[in-house]
Amino acid sequence: MEQEKNNVGIKYIELYFPSQYVCQKKLEKYDQVSPGKYTIGLGQQKMGFCGDQEDIHSLSLTVLKNLLEKNKINPKDVGRLEVGTETLIDKSKSVKTVLMQLFEESGNSDIEGLDTTNACFGGTGALFNAINWIESSSYDGRLAIVIIADIAVYAEGNARCTGGAGAVALAIAPNAPLVFDTKLRALHMAHQYDFYKPDMHSEYPTINGQLSLKCYLSAVDTCYQLYGQKFNKKFGFSEAFTMKNLDYMVFHTPYCKIVQKSVGRCILNDFIHSSSKDSCFENLTKYRGVSLEDTYENASLFKEIERACVEASKDVFNEKTMPSLQIATNVGNMYSPSLYSSLCSLLCNKSMDDLLEKRIAFFSYGSGLASAMFSLKVTDKRDELEPLIRVVMDCYKHLDQRREIEPQDFVKTLELREKRYNAKSYSPESPVADLFPGTYYLSNVDDKFRRTYERKT
């Protein structure tokens, strides 16, 4: 059994996002904001969104069923099912229990795991639970599946453009093609009110934008430093850890520009903690002696250093992170799944030769706050990696098969979702015909709030 626990990682991946989107450039004009505010300022091009016929249950059912079918997974071979989400329908009944419908025919009800929730960190928490189970004495040799799904919607105003939706399913097993680095997780937890959902009558969050940015970037600072210390201890390195120790780095992506700023922040950490004369530090030399804390206390200094670090990290960003942002750019903020959709983008945008034996670092963030940095190593076996990438590429192609919705109709759809929130005794109005084949959808909510789902053929 101990031998079976080696090389624990991701064996299969499935990705789902809505079949419709709104163009951010058109949304800028509709919202009467300055041209480029969403497309250049935030780095977003398109935003996927759901009608009232899709909810967290349907997204999760879709991505799980597709994972099982495409990879020919026998439901009896699943021993743990974890769900990470902040999109709650019920205050008591877990999303995981809804997904158990897909195991009824097989007769397998002996499946551990439940839901994990903390803003956009829930998916990572669920993933860590799955890895820990396989590495524990409780492991029985079966697969662990992690479902990470969310619907990100905002009230009318300047945050609405940062919405999105999607789901990712990860099958975790020993001897996987994407192997997690053991004993190499750096976490940072704190109490903050940067983004939260206190109103149980609305799916819209309460947001403090400036605090959220500070919390995110300071979490990057802390996790990056801790990860570097643990990295050096694990591999016995004495020189300061820097971005050069990583082949690729993917981030939780509420919007793409914050990721570029985060890479710049990592370079600032390298500059402050390393004696290296690296050429990328040339335009940072005047900040020698400035501490990370200093940058947050002085707003003008923060902006000045931010611009300098983005410029200094441009080559690193383009090489190690930019290839991971295509889905985020064109779907928007998926909340919990966004980090793992970035992994999907990276796998689809790099050649096989560029991926084999490479280390990919992850930064996960959930407001409130919970954050982590961890990593995985890609296998050196092409025949093991190819099937995983083939399935991800199949999902990735759906980006070009979606239907564009005009801004006014996007707004009407969100108004319909508002009307349906916490409602009962209704059948959704949004058309099923526009959904991708194989998508589950909500068909009815009865007078006791019980939901029924069907699958589009």
Side-chain angles (χ1 to χ4, degrees):
M1 182 63 73
E2 289 304 314
Q3 182 64 28
E4 293 175 9
K5 296 181 184 179
N6 289 341
N7 299 324
V8 176
I10 302 172
K11 189 169 184 178
Y12 308 117
I13 304 178
E14 177 67 21
L15 168 70
Y16 172 77
F17 43 78
S19 60
Q20 59 188 6
Y21 71 89
V22 62
C23 172
Q24 293 277 21
K25 189 173 182 178
K26 290 183 179 179
L27 197 59
E28 289 172 342
K29 187 174 181 179
Y30 180 86
D31 289 344
Q32 297 181 332
V33 300
S34 57
K37 183 173 182 178
Y38 304 159
T39 51
I40 299 173
L42 298 178
Q44 302 301 123
Q45 296 299 319
K46 300 173 183 177
M47 177 170 53
F49 64 99
C50 299
D52 69 333
Q53 85 282 48
E54 290 192 273
D55 61 18
I56 190 59
H57 293 165
S58 68
L59 266 62
S60 300
L61 285 164
T62 297
V63 79
L64 174 56
K65 185 66 172 179
N66 288 345
L67 178 83
L68 296 173
E69 287 183 343
K70 290 182 184 180
N71 298 287
K72 298 179 172 58
I73 298 172
N74 187 334
K76 292 182 179 180
D77 294 333
V78 178
R80 191 174 187 97
L81 178 61
E82 293 275 347
V83 177
T85 183
E86 66 172 271
T87 309
L88 304 181
I89 288 176
D90 191 280
K91 292 183 287 185
S92 174
K93 181 175 170 60
S94 68
V95 176
K96 186 264 181 76
T97 58
V98 177
L99 299 181
M100 289 305 297
Q101 295 174 91
L102 302 185
F103 296 88
E104 288 176 359
E105 187 177 345
S106 72
N108 180 17
S109 62
D110 179 23
I111 302 179
E112 294 192 30
L114 281 170
D115 297 1
T116 300
T117 300
N118 187 88
C120 302
F121 191 78
T124 296
L127 173 61
F128 288 173
N129 289 343
I131 296 170
N132 292 346
W133 176 69
I134 293 178
E135 294 178 341
S136 76
S137 60
S138 298
Y139 181 55
D140 63 7
R142 294 184 292 169
L143 274 177
I145 293 179
V146 181
I147 304 300
I148 310 171
D150 270 313
I151 298 172
V153 287
Y154 293 85
E156 185 178 2
N158 58 10
R160 176 161 279 183
C161 60
T162 61
V168 173
L170 307 174
I172 310 300
N175 303 313
L178 304 178
V179 181
F180 289 107
D181 288 318
T182 57
K183 298 181 180 179
L184 197 46
R185 294 181 199 165
L187 282 88
H188 171 61
M189 305 277 178
H191 172 51
Q192 293 288 351
Y193 278 115
D194 56 323
F195 169 111
Y196 53 111
K197 295 180 177 178
D199 186 353
M200 302 304 290
H201 301 290
S202 171
E203 62 179 334
Y204 297 143
T206 297
I207 312 163
N208 182 330
Q210 284 301 112
L211 178 59
S212 190
L213 175 64
K214 179 181 177 180
C215 288
Y216 185 104
L217 294 178
S218 62
V220 170
D221 289 339
T222 302
C223 288
Y224 185 71
Q225 292 172 52
L226 287 172
Y227 177 88
Q229 293 166 16
K230 294 184 178 184
F231 184 96
N232 283 356
K233 182 177 180 180
K234 178 179 175 70
F235 297 109
F237 295 158
S238 57
E239 293 185 3
F241 171 86
T242 70
M243 284 288 283
K244 289 185 177 181
N245 295 106
L246 303 172
D247 297 298
Y248 302 107
M249 192 168 186
V250 298
F251 291 80
H252 165 58
T253 310
Y255 54 91
C256 292
K257 269 299 169 71
I258 199 172
V259 173
Q260 192 168 8
K261 293 176 182 179
S262 298
V263 175
R265 201 74 196 176
C266 292
I267 291 299
L268 178 62
N269 274 266
D270 290 351
F271 169 72
I272 290 174
H273 298 112
S274 171
S275 58
S276 169
K277 304 297 183 183
D278 196 300
S279 58
C280 75
F281 296 155
E282 287 178 2
N283 70 330
L284 301 180
T285 52
K286 68 176 181 177
Y287 303 114
R288 184 67 71 185
V290 171
S291 70
L292 295 173
E293 293 75 17
D294 292 338
T295 64
Y296 293 110
E297 293 173 0
N298 185 321
S300 61
L301 178 63
F302 177 85
K303 280 295 181 185
E304 180 183 329
I305 290 182
E306 179 181 86
R307 287 191 291 269
C309 289
V310 166
E311 180 63 31
S313 64
K314 190 177 295 184
D315 290 343
V316 174
F317 171 74
N318 289 338
E319 176 189 351
K320 298 177 186 283
T321 301
M322 174 68 91
S324 71
L325 292 179
Q326 191 167 2
I327 292 174
T329 302
N330 290 284
V331 177
N333 184 8
M334 295 183 181
Y335 283 166
S336 289
S338 75
L339 175 62
Y340 304 95
S341 74
S342 293
L343 171 63
C344 293
S345 284
L346 180 66
L347 295 175
C348 292
N349 281 310
K350 301 302 293 186
S351 70
M352 192 76 66
D353 290 337
D354 286 336
L355 291 169
L356 293 172
E357 297 187 88
K358 298 299 192 297
R359 174 164 282 107
I360 304 170
F362 295 73
F363 174 70
S364 181
Y365 179 83
S367 294
L369 66 80
S371 60
M373 194 167 289
F374 55 102
S375 56
L376 60 76
K377 190 80 177 288
V378 182
T379 180
D380 61 353
K381 298 179 176 62
R382 184 182 295 265
D383 61 332
E384 293 182 3
L385 185 60
E386 273 182 334
L388 182 150
I389 293 180
R390 192 181 309 121
V391 171
V392 176
M393 282 294 298
D394 181 60
C395 305
Y396 188 73
K397 291 174 183 176
H398 285 166
L399 280 176
D400 297 325
Q401 298 167 2
R402 296 175 299 163
R403 177 168 168 260
E404 182 180 354
I405 304 297
E406 294 303 314
Q408 60 268 26
D409 295 319
F410 159 70
V411 171
K412 288 178 182 177
T413 300
L414 292 197
E415 289 173 349
L416 179 60
R417 288 187 63 87
E418 286 183 35
K419 177 183 174 183
R420 297 303 194 197
Y421 194 75
N422 280 342
K424 61 181 178 179
S425 301
Y426 75 91
S427 295
E429 297 177 24
S430 298
V432 172
D434 297 332
L435 300 175
F436 291 130
T439 300
Y440 279 84
Y441 59 91
L442 177 67
S443 58
N444 184 65
V445 181
D446 71 11
D447 61 353
K448 293 184 179 179
F449 295 96
R450 294 175 298 192
R451 292 173 176 246
T452 305
Y453 298 88
E454 297 180 23
R455 193 185 191 200
K456 183 184 175 183
T457 56

